[in-house]
Amino acid sequence: MAVKQKILLVEDDDALAEVLAEQLALHDEFDLTRVDSAADALARAGDGFDLILLDVGLPDQDGRETCKIMRKNNIATPIIMLTGAASEADTVLGLDTGANDYVTKPFRFGILLARMRAQLRSHEQAETAELEIGTYIFRPALKILEPQDGAAKIRLTEKETNILKFLHRASGSPVARDTLLHEVWGYNAQVSTHTLETHIYRLRRKIEADPSDATLLLTLEGGYALAQ
Ligand code: CA
């Protein structure tokens, strides 16, 4: 039998938690652990779960704050927020909580299941992805670039990794500074394009043979692009 996906359910509503546990039990692929507070969620978040379902309305903390803290603690597990109202839903992804997705209560179980499977699938793909950038193999999940000639691996910061991921997705088309800034730092981040330029400068020093004459991470009219 396939390995079960470990799910952490953070929900203080006993009735809802019971229904979800029953429904998930019908699908052999899940192994559910439930906690009912932010404190317990934070204590357990690092225990190797494949997915976290996180209620916004927790007794001891706003779940959006809990989500932020998990990301600060380097928990990379996909997180789906369970929100109580459309107004909460609006702020889940917008406020840079680090959540991957949300469903608004009351939701149909099928909707949640589809979102869970989508997150599990894309996370799995991201973990094993190997992309080619110039003469490097780029492993986003490990935040490294491996020169194909066997030279030392280059370690990247989180932001550098995300910049390369986004530029790679654009397949050589230039990405505007504002777009890149928003994609990497979030829409509400108080950062200027100067911050982005600083990161690009440092990144070039890591990956370009001659950082002052970039051949890989190009400045084009309209923004930045990866050479094809
Ligand atoms: Ca609740």
Side-chain angles (χ1 to χ4, degrees):
M1 202 178 72
V3 177
K4 291 194 178 194
Q5 305 273 18
K6 286 180 65 186
I7 312 292
L8 178 64
L9 170 64
V10 187
E11 175 59 72
D12 61 311
D13 179 338
D14 289 335
L16 176 59
E18 260 170 51
V19 170
L20 283 179
E22 277 170 23
Q23 300 269 20
L24 286 170
L26 299 175
H27 300 264
D28 236 8
E29 67 205 83
F30 302 113
D31 173 10
L32 184 71
T33 300
R34 183 225 170 175
V35 295
D36 59 8
S37 69
D40 287 346
L42 289 169
R44 297 296 308 272
D47 293 354
F49 289 99
D50 297 298
L51 179 81
I52 298 173
L53 300 173
L54 180 57
D55 181 29
V56 167
L58 293 169
D60 53 342
Q61 188 175 54
D62 186 315
R64 289 167 288 195
E65 193 56 35
T66 315
C67 186
K68 270 191 202 172
I69 296 170
M70 285 179 183
R71 293 306 187 218
K72 262 186 215 147
N73 294 345
N74 289 319
I75 304 295
T77 312
I79 298 176
I80 300 178
M81 306 285 309
L82 309 177
T83 72
S87 59
E88 284 180 357
D90 287 344
T91 61
V92 164
L93 300 178
L95 277 181
D96 210 13
T97 55
N100 297 79
D101 203 354
Y102 64 89
V103 290
T104 304
K105 296 175 188 174
F107 49 82
R108 282 192 292 130
F109 179 71
I111 301 276
L112 177 66
L113 190 60
R115 301 285 178 85
M116 288 173 67
R117 284 181 173 149
Q119 288 302 328
L120 287 164
R121 213 165 31 234
S122 75
H123 189 68
E124 203 169 295
Q125 281 165 0
E127 284 296 296
T128 55
E130 288 184 9
L131 309 173
E132 224 176 293
I133 292 183
T135 57
Y136 297 105
I137 300 291
F138 175 37
R139 299 178 201 278
L142 300 176
K143 300 192 197 107
I144 56 170
L145 282 173
E146 270 180 48
Q148 294 192 46
D149 62 4
K153 290 174 191 168
I154 299 170
R155 304 219 165 267
L156 303 169
T157 65
E158 179 90 27
K159 297 288 186 234
E160 289 165 352
T161 304
N162 288 337
I163 288 169
L164 287 182
K165 263 204 275 195
F166 198 75
L167 290 178
H168 185 271
R169 217 180 294 161
S171 327
S173 305
V175 177
R177 285 178 178 75
D178 278 349
T179 306
L180 197 52
L181 195 67
H182 289 147
E183 287 296 333
V184 174
W185 276 268
Y187 273 86
N188 290 286
Q190 302 293 316
V191 292
S192 67
T193 49
H194 177 72
T195 305
L196 172 65
E197 281 154 15
T198 306
H199 279 76
I200 296 281
Y201 171 79
R202 292 204 197 117
L203 193 48
R204 279 184 174 143
R205 292 180 51 129
K206 288 186 176 180
I207 69 175
E208 298 281 356
D210 177 1
S212 63
D213 182 20
T215 56
L216 193 54
L217 207 178
L218 310 174
T219 302
L220 299 179
E221 199 173 335
Y224 297 108
L226 286 178
Q228 287 298 285

